[in-house]
Amino acid sequence: MAIDTPPKGFIGESIKRKEDDRFIRGKGNYLDDISLPGMLHMSILRSPFAHARIRSINTKPAEAVPGVVAVVTGALLEQHKLAWMPTLSGDTQAVLATDKVRYQGQEVACVIANDPYVARDAAQLIDVDYEVLKAVVDPYQALKPGAPLIRDEKKDQKDNHIYHWEAGDKAATEAAFKKADKVVSLETFYPRCHPSPLETCGIVADINPATGQATLYMTSQAPHAHRTLFALVAGLPEEKIRIISPDLGGGFGNKVPIYPGYVVATAASLLLGHPVKWIEDRSENLISTGFARDFHMQGELAVNKDGKFLGLRVKMLSDNGAFYADAQPSKFRAGLFHIVTGSYDLPAAHVETDGAYTNKAPGGVAFRCSFRVTEASYLIERLVESAAVELKMDPAEIRLKNFIQPEQFPYKSATGFEYDSGDYPRALKLALEKIGYEQLRKEQAEKRKRGELMGIGVASFTEVVGAGHGTEYDIAGLRMFDSAELRVHPTGKAILKLGVKSQGQGHETTFAQIVAEELGIPASDVEVQEGDTDNTPYGLGTYASRSTPVGGAATAMVSRKLRDKAKKIAAHLLEASEADIEFDHGKFFVKGAPSKSKTIQDVAFAAYTNLPEGMEAGLEGVTYYDPPNMTFPFGTYVVVVDIDRGTGQVKVRRMVAVDDCGVRINPMIVEGQIHGGLTEGFGIAFMELITFDEQGNCIGSNFTDYLLPTSWETPRFETFETVTPSPHHPIGAKGVGESATVGSPAAYVNAVIDAVGHLGITNIDMPVSSDKVWTALQEKGAAE
Amino acid sequence: MLPAAFEYASPGTLDEALALLDQHADDGKVLAGGQSLIPLLKLRLASPAFLVDINRIPDLDVLEERDGALVIGALVRHKTAERSSLLANRYAVLAEAAPQVADPLVRNRGTLAGSLAHADPSGDWGSVMLAVDAEFVLRSRSGSRTVKARDFFSGPFSTLLQPNEILTEIRIPARRGPTGGAYLKLERKVGDFATVGVAIQLQMDDGKVGTAGIALTAVGPQNIKATEAEAALKGQTLNDKVIKEAGQLAAKAAEPRADLRGSEAYKRNVVRIFTERGLKRAYERARGGG
Ligand SMILES: Cc1cc2nc3c(=O)[nH]c(=O)nc-3n(C[C@H](O)[C@H](O)[C@H](O)COP(=O)(O)OP(=O)(O)OC[C@H]3O[C@@H](n4cnc5c(N)ncnc54)[C@H](O)[C@@H]3O)c2cc1C
């Protein structure tokens, strides 16, 4: 009789996600599930205006409401030097406005009450006298002389310019452009969109007035870094701060920044001696917390007649809102936007980026984007499409002609990256084969004769994820290493504690599988813990697809550390010399005699019961891993669309995605990440948009206006893989959390342009809505 | 999203409900599926002091043909309409509209009558009712009256309904002879209100158009009955020229406003395109008996 042995969960096995049991049974523990004795509730009054001076605030009517415990204003915070806080990018941000409000939705006052409804009712009664000022909503206008000065409280700030940053070689690029037969240019805007996690942000701040112990339950993607920042900002002693980031209902970058609500709730708990809960509602989340993108980009590609690229020149203006609060490594003012050379062997490139203040919410978080890589990837892939249209070349062919070739790796890019590994032609060719490219081109030609619009879009992205190395990459000075602590108990079961923090990515399974692979302990026997700063080693957190490249590497390394010790114990148990011991998936045996073996469980037991002379007891360790380089995931996406000439509606008929993220630990989880990203890319390409009217009113403050795709309209994805391991990662893995969000928007838009390029339509900015498509067709006399 | 405080009653009979509404005529509201009212409460765009939940009242969920009319009770949900074989077989415009209203979750709870009472100019059912020439039964404590759909809507979110009245029944002339309908809706995603919607109802008479009903969604302060287009079709054989002209007249009847969903010209064009396509589809159905 055959007995099915349950899968051990080694690398490459699609075991079910360990965490899903509790999630799908409603047994998770999210922030709003947390309720403490004596807990008070906070509600925030926000500015109705984008730009206005505060003349006065009358809190009396709110204070008079039964159940209200306190009303907090900027003036009160100022007394405690808490009215302003530093941002992740070295700017300052108002916690509660004291002088002016600088965007619609900005935090003005907070009501703390014994009931959330009472707090909300009372907040409405606060009377704020505003003097409305002219708002600046366009970053180009913001930089014009005479534009209203948004940050007038900053001593040396005389205009709305934030930073200027360059990468690449300007002279070499100029020279390349001089040599070129042709210059292809594209001006495009990557609109402001929002990560929109299912769970909004929130905190339960619990400061014990007797001990000074601060326990902050927070929706945090980076609990350790947040603890340090709290210590620095609020002046709380770091050993007394414990941040617990419970189960998170999505993050996508939205839960990287520290928000004013967190700070006020913490201050209120300190002042009142009660736990204080603040949970953001959906509108608050959309209008005030970390947005993404909002990049105005001008790209130029120097090309020869035969389609060979000679150089790339990019000018970019970032709309940062009222406070420069991008979450990105401190040396890189526009994130890693200089990955804009993408998958192409570009001998010369130069990138100039500027940032501007406007009267909009701050943010600039990595919405499933490794620090502005999405914008960069979008620009180069759209620009390559433009080149194909202008040169009348096939978009696949022009890519093949210009790809960095497999033998060129490690490849030094013109803007300073060293790409670790890749095989771009292989991924593209696989995608073409799977979609049936040639047949589709034939169909397209026939349809075109009949006046029907059909397009095939290609995008071959290259991403850069897994920051550090720590000397190059830091967040607010904290080096971007990450950590893993592994403890194997006598019965051979293990606990793995990590500095990263899952928001739904399946860490509890993926990282258990790395331990399974390296130590042979079944993944089901490895408990993964994250999110509690008292209970996990220091780390920089989860965003920018860094958990597997950095935290995953740390997990592999700590497992190997334990394996080394285990080997010594095994040698002792097998009465052999350590040099003769071999290890294979959880079994130690003497070279040449695999039948006589000890399991990792035997060894774990011995680590506490039967040790070699002089060895310390226990089987545990910790590793801090500082990656030698980034990893560079890549892939090719191909999209087929049909366009209705009467309504401009675009129907995505097919989407083939080939992803290469190196070694896949749990292929099912990888697929899930890709499906999520392709869906987000679809939403961004076709519908998601936070926009503003001239007064700076936010349009897109709820899900009626801010459109997220549902399963109904999202296309069916056909996913495939190639595997090019990262040479410097212990298990050859690269990050995958963001690949599809980064790579897919251009594929969707390129498909639309491929359908209408022959009519002379070279660009339609995202979101590519039906009305924009119809209007473009109409202008060319091609609409029905 | 926390609403202001309100009182709530869930009466078991229509009479009780009508009495409560009468008592709270100043600040009371009917709660049916809650799919429009609850969001308004949560956004604090409305804060009625008293809610009369009609969901426990029996017999308000009728959906049947009776006395020469299709009768739809106040508690018939979008979902029920979507799944009804009666509508699928005999009332194409309703059957085609139902699955295009909102999303499956909203359709599970929301009601046709609630949608009409709410009178969102972007609501789909208003156009359907104008196209099929429906009438509504409005009941109050003191009696009941019947109002034609074309008289019922009086502007954005406003109707002839009095605060103490409940729309208890929708009545649509029962199908007879070769009839066809269609509902075309342009939405940005599932669950989105229409950018443009067009409802078509054709009653054929001896190969020619007997009566035509055409109504437009989301292109004016209320659902619009395109009466000129309707009149132009009467007595005509449906050929391309006639269809084109009706499309143009319908586009002319539209009063769209530019917004994030599109420009005025765009919306007008979609009205034209949908009217043409809808007429063809409805005509096919009338001829095929479907
Ligand atoms: C996400 C979302 C998407 C939507 N998309 C669409 C769409 O695409 N197309 C569309 O047409 N609609 C859409 N709707 C609205 C939906 O159709 C609502 O169900 C409908 O408008 C209201 O019906 P209800 O039963 O839920 O009414 P409720 O929300 O309970 O009530 C709405 C209003 O009507 C009054 N009322 C309700 N029933 C009666 C009655 N019998 N007599 C008198 N007054 C009454 C109430 O007092 C209230 O003022 C959407 C709603 C949501 C939340």
Side-chain angles (χ1 to χ4, degrees):
Chain A
M1 195 179 78
I3 297 170
D4 277 346
T5 44
K8 292 268 192 334
F10 297 135
I11 285 180
E13 287 181 27
S14 287
I15 58 169
K16 291 213 171 116
R17 302 201 329 165
K18 294 171 63 180
E19 48 268 71
D20 282 349
D21 237 10
R22 71 173 188 279
F23 291 153
I24 61 183
R25 291 189 200 189
K27 296 293 179 197
N29 184 40
Y30 296 95
L31 198 93
D32 208 9
D33 294 324
I34 294 163
S35 185
L36 301 177
M39 188 171 78
L40 302 172
H41 299 265
M42 185 172 99
S43 178
I44 300 181
L45 176 73
R46 294 174 181 278
S47 166
F49 302 113
H51 200 189
R53 196 162 295 287
I54 296 176
R55 287 209 197 94
S56 65
I57 302 180
N58 180 9
T59 57
K60 290 229 166 61
E63 280 156 7
V65 174
V68 169
V69 179
V71 180
V72 183
T73 60
L76 179 70
L77 290 183
E78 208 157 39
Q79 292 168 19
H80 300 269
K81 299 215 163 21
L82 278 177
W84 291 82
M85 64 178 183
T87 69
L88 290 177
S89 31
D91 194 6
T92 48
Q93 174 175 358
V95 177
L96 293 178
T98 47
D99 50 343
K100 279 202 309 190
V101 289
R102 292 173 171 84
Y103 66 92
Q104 187 185 52
Q106 189 181 336
E107 298 80 356
V108 174
C110 294
V111 176
I112 324 283
N114 57 15
D115 175 284
Y117 288 84
V118 172
R120 183 78 182 81
D121 289 347
Q124 275 186 317
L125 300 176
I126 298 173
D127 188 12
V128 186
D129 184 12
Y130 292 103
E131 174 195 342
V132 178
L133 306 171
K134 197 170 156 18
V136 196
V137 291
D138 177 275
Y140 289 101
Q141 296 298 327
L143 294 183
K144 287 209 171 130
L149 182 61
I150 296 167
R151 299 298 300 277
D152 52 347
E153 92 292 353
K154 284 179 91 171
K155 250 225 244 86
D156 300 320
Q157 186 79 37
K158 299 285 176 256
D159 54 24
N160 295 317
H161 186 255
I162 308 174
Y163 67 83
H164 178 82
W165 194 82
E166 296 185 20
D169 184 334
K170 191 167 186 173
T173 308
E174 297 301 322
F177 272 79
K178 284 216 182 78
K179 269 197 322 219
D181 293 334
K182 201 174 170 58
V183 174
V184 175
S185 55
L186 175 73
E187 202 178 318
T188 182
F189 172 51
Y190 203 128
R192 184 176 274 236
C193 52
H194 200 281
S196 312
L198 195 54
E199 179 202 33
T200 57
C201 301
I203 187 171
V204 176
D206 180 19
I207 303 190
N208 183 319
T211 63
Q213 175 70 40
T215 309
L216 309 178
Y217 303 86
M218 240 168 83
T219 47
S220 169
Q221 295 178 223
H224 291 278
H226 282 166
R227 183 183 56 180
T228 301
L229 293 173
F230 258 91
L232 295 174
V233 175
L236 297 168
E238 195 167 359
E239 82 284 5
K240 296 271 194 195
I241 307 174
R242 178 181 186 189
I243 291 188
I244 299 176
S245 184
D247 286 332
L248 293 183
F252 311 107
N254 193 219
K255 292 167 181 169
V256 172
I258 291 185
Y259 293 114
Y262 298 169
V263 177
V264 183
T266 304
S269 176
L270 185 66
L271 296 174
L272 300 171
H274 279 268
V276 175
K277 179 189 254 186
W278 170 63
I279 303 281
E280 193 182 60
D281 71 27
R282 180 61 61 189
S283 292
E284 294 183 285
N285 180 256
L286 283 170
I287 62 172
S288 73
T289 65
F291 72 91
R293 329 288 191 239
D294 218 344
F295 263 27
H296 298 259
M297 305 183 282
Q298 290 170 299
E300 287 178 307
L301 201 54
V303 288
N304 271 346
K305 277 201 288 276
D306 64 355
K308 191 83 189 143
F309 303 160
L310 304 182
L312 173 70
R313 197 156 54 189
V314 177
K315 279 204 173 126
M316 188 282 291
L317 178 61
S318 164
D319 183 341
N320 290 84
F323 308 106
Y324 175 42
D326 280 23
Q328 61 210 9
S330 62
K331 277 191 194 165
F332 301 94
R333 308 290 278 164
L336 306 183
F337 181 75
H338 50 306
I339 189 73
V340 66
T341 54
S343 308
Y344 307 99
D345 186 13
L346 271 156
H350 186 245
V351 179
E352 272 182 79
T353 67
D354 286 273
Y357 289 121
T358 56
N359 289 115
K360 300 181 191 169
V365 298
F367 167 21
R368 269 216 176 186
C369 147
S370 322
F371 308 127
R372 305 295 195 176
V373 175
T374 315
E375 292 91 329
S377 173
Y378 181 74
L379 180 62
I380 185 68
E381 287 307 312
R382 288 284 302 109
L383 203 46
V384 170
E385 175 72 23
S386 295
V389 172
E390 282 196 35
L391 294 171
K392 299 203 164 45
M393 276 181 79
D394 183 279
E397 188 196 328
I398 202 169
R399 285 182 167 81
L400 284 167
K401 192 164 199 132
N402 287 285
F403 276 152
I404 299 162
Q405 294 303 308
E407 61 277 8
Q408 286 176 277
F409 291 92
Y411 173 83
K412 195 116 182 78
S413 86
T415 54
F417 288 106
E418 187 181 292
Y419 292 20
D420 60 346
S421 65
D423 189 342
Y424 304 154
R426 184 158 66 125
L428 174 64
K429 284 175 185 161
L430 180 62
L432 297 182
E433 177 203 317
K434 292 297 180 188
I435 202 132
Y437 191 68
E438 278 175 29
Q439 195 52 41
L440 286 167
R441 284 287 172 209
K442 280 191 200 129
E443 182 191 339
Q444 183 188 37
E446 273 162 30
K447 288 216 155 118
R448 210 167 268 182
K449 277 188 218 145
R450 294 199 300 266
E452 292 171 34
L453 299 176
M454 162 193 169
I456 308 152
V458 181
S460 297
F461 69 95
T462 287
E463 254 226 288
V464 49
V465 309
H469 185 281
T471 49
E472 271 290 282
Y473 301 101
D474 67 85
I475 298 282
L478 299 168
R479 289 185 173 200
M480 299 188 75
F481 58 80
D482 230 290
S483 61
E485 183 185 322
L486 182 59
R487 192 182 297 170
V488 183
H489 298 302
T491 55
K493 319 267 173 179
I495 288 191
L496 175 71
K497 295 159 184 256
L498 298 168
V500 292
K501 171 65 189 144
S502 182
Q503 305 123 45
Q505 293 93 333
H507 287 190
E508 289 169 47
T509 308
T510 295
F511 292 109
Q513 288 188 253
I514 297 176
V515 174
E517 178 73 23
E518 297 290 341
L519 270 183
I521 299 172
S524 55
D525 289 351
V526 182
E527 173 81 10
V528 176
Q529 296 187 352
E530 300 177 334
D532 180 345
T533 55
D534 267 12
N535 190 29
T536 53
Y538 204 100
L540 267 281
T542 292
Y543 41 85
S545 298
R546 64 187 299 279
S547 294
T548 292
V550 194
T555 302
M557 298 311 271
V558 76
S559 302
R560 287 175 194 177
K561 226 187 235 183
L562 266 56
R563 195 167 74 202
D564 289 344
K565 179 170 182 182
K567 214 173 192 177
K568 290 194 172 71
I569 300 172
H572 164 70
L573 296 178
L574 292 165
E575 296 172 346
S577 118
E578 191 195 337
D580 293 336
I581 301 294
E582 300 225 317
F583 174 79
D584 182 28
H585 286 95
K587 278 209 174 84
F588 295 89
F589 51 90
V590 181
K591 212 175 275 174
S595 59
K596 196 174 160 232
S597 67
K598 292 286 170 192
T599 63
I600 182 70
Q601 289 78 10
D602 299 333
V603 171
F605 196 68
Y608 296 87
T609 57
N610 176 12
L611 285 156
E613 207 38 56
M615 185 184 276
E616 257 184 49
L619 192 56
E620 64 179 80
V622 59
T623 291
Y624 282 70
Y625 183 81
D626 191 356
N629 188 9
M630 303 277 210
T631 64
F632 295 76
F634 62 94
T636 289
Y637 299 151
V638 186
V639 171
V640 184
V641 298
D642 297 293
I643 297 178
D644 182 330
R645 286 175 47 227
T647 61
Q649 276 170 297
V650 178
K651 174 109 187 89
V652 176
R653 193 202 304 177
R654 285 183 66 197
M655 159 45 119
V656 162
V658 174
D659 270 277
D660 192 323
C661 57
V663 171
R664 295 185 172 204
I665 298 160
N666 181 317
M668 177 196 74
I669 289 180
V670 169
E671 291 286 288
Q673 291 291 305
I674 291 167
H675 273 243
L678 295 174
T679 307
E680 285 171 336
F682 173 75
I684 290 162
F686 292 113
M687 59 186 81
E688 293 185 38
L689 175 70
I690 298 184
T691 189
F692 298 81
D693 69 12
E694 276 171 20
Q695 281 83 46
N697 295 307
C698 175
I699 300 161
S701 63
N702 56 59
F703 283 158
T704 312
D705 294 323
Y706 190 79
L707 306 178
L708 292 175
T710 73
S711 57
W712 286 83
E713 56 273 339
T714 302
R716 206 180 78 81
F717 303 123
E718 304 164 52
T719 54
F720 304 93
E721 66 181 81
T722 59
V723 176
T724 312
S726 169
H728 64 74
H729 187 276
I731 54 175
K734 302 182 175 185
V736 73
E738 303 165 321
S739 292
T741 320
V742 166
S744 65
Y748 295 114
V749 178
N750 283 350
V752 174
I753 298 302
D754 187 72
V756 298
H758 67 289
L759 301 168
I761 300 168
T762 52
N763 184 42
I764 300 174
D765 276 340
M766 298 187 290
V768 181
S769 50
S770 326
D771 59 309
K772 284 196 207 162
V773 175
W774 181 83
T775 305
L777 292 172
Q778 174 77 357
E779 280 165 7
K780 302 288 177 194
E784 184 184 331
Chain B
M1 301 277 133
L2 305 176
F6 55 83
E7 275 187 84
Y8 169 90
S10 175
T13 67
L14 187 57
D15 285 344
E16 268 178 84
L18 291 170
L20 279 167
L21 275 182
D22 220 45
Q23 259 171 41
H24 296 277
D26 294 337
D27 55 4
K29 271 266 170 216
V30 173
L31 176 70
Q35 298 305 300
S36 292
L37 186 53
I38 301 283
L40 289 176
L41 297 180
K42 285 179 151 192
L43 290 163
R44 296 197 175 206
L45 294 172
S47 35
F50 202 97
L51 293 191
V52 181
D53 184 341
I54 61 170
N55 284 281
R56 276 183 54 224
I57 301 173
D59 305 328
L60 286 182
D61 57 354
V62 286
L63 174 62
E64 62 187 26
E65 286 180 311
R66 185 208 301 157
D67 309 329
L70 169 70
V71 177
I72 302 172
L75 285 178
V76 172
R77 319 272 168 189
H78 307 306
K79 177 197 68 182
T80 313
E82 184 181 353
R83 297 194 182 155
S84 155
S85 54
L86 172 62
L87 297 190
N89 292 331
R90 292 174 56 79
Y91 299 90
V93 59
L94 280 92
E96 196 160 55
Q100 297 188 74
V101 172
D103 58 39
L105 285 79
V106 172
R107 292 202 290 276
N108 281 339
R109 300 282 313 156
T111 63
L112 276 70
S115 181
L116 297 166
H118 186 58
D120 187 330
S122 301
D124 298 300
W125 288 120
S127 294
V128 171
M129 298 306 159
L130 288 171
V132 298
D133 202 20
E135 54 187 31
F136 308 140
V137 179
L138 316 183
R139 291 216 17 208
S140 69
R141 203 175 177 187
S142 51
S144 108
R145 55 182 179 141
T146 303
V147 179
K148 282 272 189 198
R150 72 173 93 101
D151 301 321
F152 180 72
F153 299 108
S154 54
F157 304 99
S158 47
T159 68
L160 295 190
L161 256 178
Q162 294 301 308
N164 66 346
E165 284 179 320
I166 293 180
L167 196 174
T168 51
E169 250 177 48
I170 301 161
R171 286 199 192 142
I172 293 167
R175 181 171 196 263
R176 54 182 174 83
T179 308
Y183 189 72
L184 286 81
K185 175 177 176 179
L186 179 71
E187 57 184 10
R188 299 171 299 177
K189 58 169 271 194
V190 168
D192 187 25
F193 280 93
T195 299
V196 171
V198 176
I200 305 276
Q201 175 78 351
L202 277 181
Q203 172 76 54
M204 300 306 290
D205 190 3
D206 206 12
K208 296 205 162 58
V209 177
T211 53
I214 301 179
L216 318 176
T217 306
V219 286
Q222 62 194 61
N223 298 88
I224 291 172
K225 194 165 166 67
T227 47
E228 277 186 49
E230 290 175 348
L233 286 166
K234 209 176 168 76
Q236 301 280 349
T237 316
L238 270 188
N239 56 33
D240 281 356
K241 184 171 158 289
V242 169
I243 287 175
K244 262 208 159 64
E245 192 191 320
Q248 270 153 7
L249 287 170
K252 217 177 93 193
E255 306 163 35
R257 287 226 318 243
D259 57 19
L260 282 180
R261 289 179 167 85
S263 67
E264 202 187 306
Y266 172 64
K267 292 181 183 181
R268 227 180 260 287
N269 189 66
V270 177
V271 170
R272 180 180 65 82
I273 296 274
F274 277 4
T275 304
E276 290 176 10
R277 292 180 187 173
L279 281 169
K280 285 179 192 159
R281 197 184 292 171
Y283 184 46
E284 277 304 305
R285 286 182 176 146
R287 291 201 303 178

